[in-house]
Amino acid sequence: MKSQVVGYIEDNFFIVTSENYKKMQAAFYGYVFTEEKILIRENPDNIDIDIYSPGIYVNIAIDNNTIVIKQDYYCGFGLYIYRYNDYWAVSNSLYMLINYLSTKSDLTINSDFFDLYMVKDVIPPSETETIIKEINELKQGEYISINKERCELNVIKSNIEKYSVDIFSREGFELIKKWRNRYINIIKSLLINDYIVTADLSGGFDTRACLCIYKELLDQKFNIAIHTSTDGLSCHPEDLQIATKIADIYNFKLNNLANVPSIKIDSIESLLMCFYPMFFSHDEMYYKGCIYKSPIFCISGAGGESMRDYWTGSYDDYISNIVNYNNILDLEFDSGAKRILSRMISSLKKDYHENIDEAQKIYIHTRIKNHFLRSGIESFLANKIYIMPLLDPILLKLDMTKSTTHDAKSFLAFLFERYLPEISNLGFEGKRYIEKNTLAYVKEYNKNLPIDENIDDKKCTIYIKNNSIDSSRFVDECNPRQYIFNMYRSELMKKFIANKYNYKLYRFAMQYYEKNSFVPDRFIIKLVSLFILNYILQGDSPFFRNNNKYFKKYCIYELINNISTARIDLINESASDSRIMPIYYDHKLMKLDSPKWFMSKLGQGIVLECKPYSSVFRFKTNLTGTLKVAFRAMDKKYNINKELQLKIDYHKILIKSLSKKVVLKEYENLYGLSHDNSFRISLPVDSNEELEIFINFSPYDYNINDFINIVTEAYQEFYLN
């Protein structure tokens, strides 16, 4: 049975083929910001969306004889095409299309693509090739037209004006004003309609460029929750320091985020939110643990690298940098990576004659979609929608190339000088800077422009199709990263990699995981994705479904945890305000709850769930009373009221009074405890007494037939319902 969440995820993607196209209806996927409308998951008037409209979307329009499938300029979802003789298929999800075709067609792994995927961090920089040789992706500005009468699919190129307007001209100034006003109106419209709007702010160029837009709204006292990283990883400490200075200067608070109601999801649902948009286009999975009940919006500086001299050099230099980025043993991934990059570059030379650096051209045609937009779709599926002003196609009209008077950061320099003059001397993360002659030129140019700008105050009409997921459904702990890691550790996975490459590669990915704190599972994700792809191509798709024998093996770790969870019920019976106050427990392995049913005139009890195999819980009692503790297994039901007969072996239970420094109770070898057959104790406790409970336990030693029945029932409960 497909879960509500899986159904919701799949509703954001489609497949149209030469066999079913006549049943196709007009549809809209993703989101777009037009001059007058904000469309999210629906296009009620079926308007034709301009190629310059920002967002991540696919729009399917149908008239009497034509189906037209258009996407955003940067190909956020991607439109993937398979053709064989007269048969064709199109989807906005590579993962969905491969699953669909695997039982209908012969598909071949593109080994050159996988080589590139292995040697390059984050994303494989390919424009049209995919992990499957027979499936290609549309280029920027291309769309699909299907003749319904002839069942004919054609790819058509949109005309888009690029790199033609000098930044330092009247036309350039008016274009920048139009761009900035567009986003002021978009953000203001959302705020007026009570949607939560957040903004990322770091110590870099790009998020500061976005501040040039929404500072206008901060000055008008609109509430925008501004976020900066506090995790201490990579360059984030310096980002935090600079962002704090900016906040102090402009008098706003950082990380003052609202608590947004959300719907919990499980590990498989979280993984599908990654695989549908990001399968073999990214190796950083931004695992989600929930879906927001209503959309929240985040202003991001994504893609700003495309408008400053960050990606420079020749095609040859680019290839050299790619293949030398990671020295992965001696497995010769380089040769395949070079071949696919050479094919892409030949295509770029043939099709594009843009006045930008060669390396930057590759960036614009590959990294923007594979990194920023694909991960943006993953967030979109969680109802977090990124507003990315620096990826607005209207900015493609600006000529940001180097010249004798200014450099590639001219656009940013102009924004900072005109809209954030108070922090024009505040440095950037990593000691980066804007050239002095560029700053001087911008300052002089700005003196000749009007001081005031007339903002065209337009209100955008907002159309949002909300999700309809039951938020009260039972969901186990969401830990997709652990799920993938458990899958990777399986003997089946080891054998697969050893046969495909060698065991050294398996160890390399494990060692990378153990040594790196920033995206530690980068190579594990790559290899697990390859295994999943191989499995799908065997024709027993889809991978994450109940008919998958390998899936059952992979989830055995999680199943064992679920059927082996210890449960401890504690209450200090004294008075109605008697409480158990936690001091310490391991949040990763233990879950604490104070259910309503466990409250009486004698106090409020707590329920503690513990994953195998040892747990320590320290707590304090606020009143003198009688501590009552029940040690048992979890209460799990399936098929409405039928209960799983789960049991736990408690090898040791130790209860100490930390305040009195004595052992109060000690028990061993309490085997076969269940929910109904619990072990209970009572002991007197003082007011403000600190205590500790230690347990060591394991799954019950079922006989084989009982174990098979338990696992089968648990599998149905936790993964099919």
Side-chain angles (χ1 to χ4, degrees):
M1 181 186 298
K2 186 163 59 177
S3 78
Q4 285 183 309
V5 173
V6 173
Y8 155 76
I9 293 169
E10 291 180 349
D11 284 346
N12 288 276
F13 302 92
F14 72 91
I15 291 177
V16 57
T17 75
S18 52
E19 296 174 333
N20 68 8
Y21 71 95
K22 290 184 179 179
K23 299 178 181 179
M24 196 72 182
Q25 296 180 339
F28 180 79
Y29 302 89
Y31 63 95
V32 69
F33 306 106
T34 72
E35 293 297 331
E36 298 176 344
K37 298 178 181 180
I38 296 173
L39 310 178
I40 299 175
R41 297 189 188 91
E42 68 174 344
N43 183 1
D45 301 324
N46 200 24
I47 63 170
D48 184 29
I49 300 170
D50 188 280
I51 192 69
Y52 289 104
S53 296
I56 306 176
Y57 67 87
V58 172
N59 190 53
I60 302 176
I62 301 177
D63 62 20
N64 291 331
N65 195 42
T66 308
I67 300 173
V68 176
I69 306 176
K70 290 185 177 181
Q71 62 181 330
D72 60 274
Y73 176 76
Y74 286 112
C75 314
F77 278 95
L79 286 176
Y80 300 94
I81 299 180
Y82 169 86
R83 298 182 200 244
Y84 183 75
N85 293 332
D86 294 332
Y87 180 85
W88 51 260
V90 177
S91 179
N92 62 337
S93 167
L94 180 62
Y95 178 78
M96 177 179 272
L97 186 58
I98 293 172
N99 272 282
Y100 181 83
L101 293 173
S102 63
T103 58
K104 300 175 180 293
S105 308
D106 292 329
L107 301 179
T108 315
I109 292 178
N110 185 345
S111 58
D112 288 352
F113 187 97
F114 186 73
D115 286 357
L116 181 61
Y117 191 45
M118 287 299 291
V119 302
K120 179 58 181 162
D121 70 316
V122 184
I123 59 102
S126 178
E127 185 186 20
T128 60
E129 292 189 51
T130 73
I131 189 62
I132 298 297
K133 287 183 178 180
E134 294 82 8
I135 298 176
N136 290 315
E137 184 179 354
L138 259 61
K139 296 178 180 178
Q140 286 180 0
E142 292 182 340
Y143 67 92
I144 292 170
S145 177
I146 300 170
N147 185 295
K148 293 167 65 177
E149 183 179 340
R150 297 193 298 268
C151 186
E152 183 179 88
L153 182 148
N154 293 298
V155 176
I156 300 172
K157 182 79 174 179
S158 299
N159 292 320
I160 185 165
E161 181 187 355
K162 290 187 281 188
Y163 316 117
S164 59
V165 178
D166 185 357
I167 291 177
F168 298 115
S169 67
R170 190 71 190 186
E171 186 181 1
F173 175 58
E174 292 299 325
L175 190 146
I176 293 172
K177 276 177 52 181
K178 179 181 179 181
W179 166 80
R180 182 170 174 269
N181 290 354
R182 168 188 275 179
Y183 285 94
I184 289 175
N185 289 328
I186 288 169
I187 298 165
K188 188 174 182 178
S189 297
L190 292 168
L191 292 167
I192 288 173
N193 284 277
D194 296 325
Y195 287 101
I196 294 173
V197 178
T198 71
D200 291 335
L201 183 62
S202 69
F205 295 100
D206 308 330
T207 57
R208 198 178 302 185
C210 294
L211 178 60
C212 296
I213 297 170
Y214 65 82
K215 180 183 175 295
E216 177 101 12
L217 297 170
L218 293 176
D219 292 342
Q220 297 176 32
K221 305 304 180 184
F222 280 100
N223 183 28
I224 298 174
I226 302 172
H227 169 264
T228 193
S229 294
T230 58
D231 56 22
L233 295 174
S234 188
C235 60
H236 293 170
E238 188 177 3
D239 283 337
L240 176 60
Q241 185 180 27
I242 295 172
T244 301
K245 289 181 181 178
I246 295 172
D248 290 342
I249 291 170
Y250 290 124
N251 194 30
F252 59 77
K253 293 181 179 180
L254 291 174
N255 296 325
N256 188 23
L257 306 180
N259 184 19
V260 185
S262 61
I263 300 162
K264 291 182 179 180
I265 62 176
D266 65 26
S267 296
I268 300 302
E269 293 161 348
S270 181
L271 285 169
L272 288 175
M273 289 173 73
C274 300
F275 277 89
Y276 268 91
M278 298 169 68
F279 196 47
F280 280 99
S281 64
H282 212 295
D283 67 14
E284 288 183 18
M285 301 296 187
Y286 304 107
Y287 304 112
K288 311 301 179 188
C290 67
I291 299 172
Y292 295 113
K293 287 187 178 181
S294 59
I296 65 171
F297 297 82
C298 181
I299 306 164
S300 166
E305 296 162 349
S306 64
M307 52 189 57
R308 47 188 169 90
D309 52 356
Y310 187 84
W311 297 85
T312 59
S314 67
Y315 287 135
D316 290 339
D317 291 336
Y318 186 87
I319 291 178
S320 178
N321 290 336
I322 291 289
V323 298
N324 292 325
Y325 185 86
N326 282 312
N327 181 21
I328 306 176
L329 308 173
D330 53 354
L331 296 171
E332 294 299 323
F333 291 110
D334 293 0
S335 56
K338 288 178 181 178
R339 284 194 298 270
I340 191 171
L341 287 173
S342 297
R343 292 196 294 270
M344 180 184 68
I345 288 166
S346 295
S347 176
L348 287 174
K349 287 180 177 178
K350 179 181 177 181
D351 294 346
Y352 300 97
H353 306 282
E354 298 156 355
N355 188 24
I356 56 175
D357 284 343
E358 292 177 335
Q360 189 179 2
K361 188 183 300 184
I362 295 174
Y363 173 89
I364 290 173
H365 289 279
T366 63
R367 186 178 173 91
I368 284 176
K369 66 176 180 180
N370 286 338
H371 182 39
F372 297 111
L373 301 191
R374 299 286 149 82
S375 56
I377 299 169
E378 186 190 9
S379 293
F380 168 73
L381 294 175
N383 235 0
K384 184 176 183 179
I385 297 168
Y386 276 94
I387 302 170
M388 297 176 274
L390 301 184
L391 287 180
D392 191 320
I394 198 173
L395 296 179
L396 293 170
K397 294 183 178 182
L398 290 175
D399 182 0
M400 300 184 186
T401 59
K402 295 180 180 178
S403 74
T404 55
T405 55
H406 52 276
D407 66 20
K409 294 194 187 80
S410 299
F411 172 70
L412 299 176
F414 174 74
L415 292 181
F416 300 150
E417 172 61 31
R418 183 161 183 84
Y419 302 111
L420 300 174
E422 299 86 353
I423 59 172
S424 59
N425 293 323
L426 188 63
F428 300 94
E429 177 270 323
K431 298 182 180 179
R432 291 178 291 170
Y433 60 93
I434 298 176
E435 297 287 349
K436 290 182 179 180
N437 61 331
T438 300
L439 292 171
Y441 188 92
V442 166
K443 187 180 285 288
E444 193 62 32
Y445 170 70
N446 192 48
K447 289 179 181 178
N448 299 319
L449 296 175
I451 296 175
D452 297 321
E453 294 183 25
N454 294 322
I455 296 178
D456 184 11
D457 191 9
K458 290 183 179 179
K459 300 295 188 297
C460 297
T461 305
I462 303 172
Y463 296 94
I464 294 178
K465 181 181 179 182
N466 277 316
N467 59 68
S468 55
I469 302 170
D470 180 8
S471 58
S472 64
R473 67 197 190 104
F474 172 79
V475 177
D476 270 346
E477 181 182 359
C478 182
N479 195 346
R481 176 168 274 112
Q482 186 64 44
Y483 181 94
I484 289 290
F485 185 63
N486 289 342
M487 184 189 297
Y488 190 76
R489 291 190 304 177
S490 70
E491 289 301 318
L492 197 63
M493 190 74 193
K494 292 178 186 177
K495 291 177 182 178
F496 169 76
I497 297 173
N499 292 335
K500 187 78 176 176
Y501 295 100
N502 62 50
Y503 185 71
K504 288 182 179 179
L505 181 59
Y506 180 86
R507 281 302 307 154
F508 170 84
M510 284 293 292
Q511 289 166 357
Y512 186 93
Y513 180 90
E514 292 162 358
K515 292 179 181 179
N516 288 270
S517 59
F518 201 67
V519 199
D521 50 2
R522 168 161 286 146
F523 290 100
I524 286 177
I525 286 293
K526 294 175 191 283
L527 296 173
V528 166
S529 296
L530 181 64
F531 176 79
I532 291 174
L533 177 62
N534 271 268
Y535 174 80
I536 292 172
L537 296 185
Q538 292 173 11
D540 194 7
S541 66
F543 186 79
F544 295 104
R545 285 284 172 85
N546 59 323
N547 63 340
N548 186 337
K549 60 184 178 182
Y550 295 131
F551 167 54
K552 292 179 182 179
K553 287 189 177 184
Y554 290 141
C555 68
I556 194 66
Y557 295 100
E558 196 169 354
L559 278 171
I560 292 296
N561 276 349
N562 276 315
I563 68 174
S564 308
T565 299
R567 173 173 152 181
I568 307 174
D569 300 347
L570 302 94
I571 187 170
N572 178 28
E573 292 187 347
S574 179
S576 60
D577 58 343
S578 177
R579 296 291 183 270
I580 302 284
M581 298 176 290
I583 298 174
Y584 166 81
Y585 64 101
D586 189 336
H587 292 262
K588 295 180 180 179
L589 299 174
M590 304 168 78
K591 180 181 177 183
L592 193 63
D593 192 18
S594 300
K596 291 182 179 179
W597 59 261
F598 210 178
M599 186 172 186
S600 71
K601 61 183 180 181
L602 297 177
Q604 171 69 62
I606 64 171
V607 175
L608 188 67
E609 297 175 12
C610 309
K611 300 294 184 183
Y613 290 90
S614 295
S615 295
V616 173
F617 178 53
R618 299 189 186 106
F619 59 97
K620 178 189 277 190
T621 54
N622 67 328
L623 297 176
T624 299
T626 301
L627 179 67
K628 293 189 175 182
V629 188
F631 299 90
R632 58 194 353 154
M634 287 294 294
D635 177 21
K636 294 285 189 180
K637 290 184 173 64
Y638 69 104
N639 291 344
I640 303 177
N641 290 318
K642 190 174 180 181
E643 187 173 304
L644 289 172
Q645 299 301 312
L646 305 181
K647 297 180 181 180
I648 297 291
D649 285 347
Y650 283 84
H651 302 287
K652 186 170 185 176
I653 297 173
L654 191 65
I655 304 175
K656 298 179 182 178
S657 171
L658 300 179
S659 300
K660 300 174 182 176
K661 299 181 180 180
V662 295
V663 174
L664 300 176
K665 297 286 185 180
E666 184 172 2
Y667 307 95
E668 292 184 346
N669 303 329
L670 299 170
Y671 297 149
L673 297 184
S674 65
H675 174 265
D676 297 332
N677 178 33
S678 62
F679 177 72
R680 298 170 179 268
I681 66 167
S682 298
L683 43 94
V685 290
D686 296 333
S687 174
N688 294 319
E689 184 171 359
E690 294 185 8
L691 299 109
E692 176 184 282
I693 294 178
F694 166 81
I695 58 172
N696 177 263
F697 63 101
S698 68
Y700 176 68
D701 187 15
Y702 300 97
N703 70 55
I704 188 63
N705 291 328
D706 289 344
F707 180 74
I708 290 172
N709 290 334
I710 286 288
V711 168
T712 301
E713 292 170 353
Y715 177 77
Q716 291 173 341
E717 164 65 10
F718 302 136
Y719 298 101
L720 304 189
N721 299 325

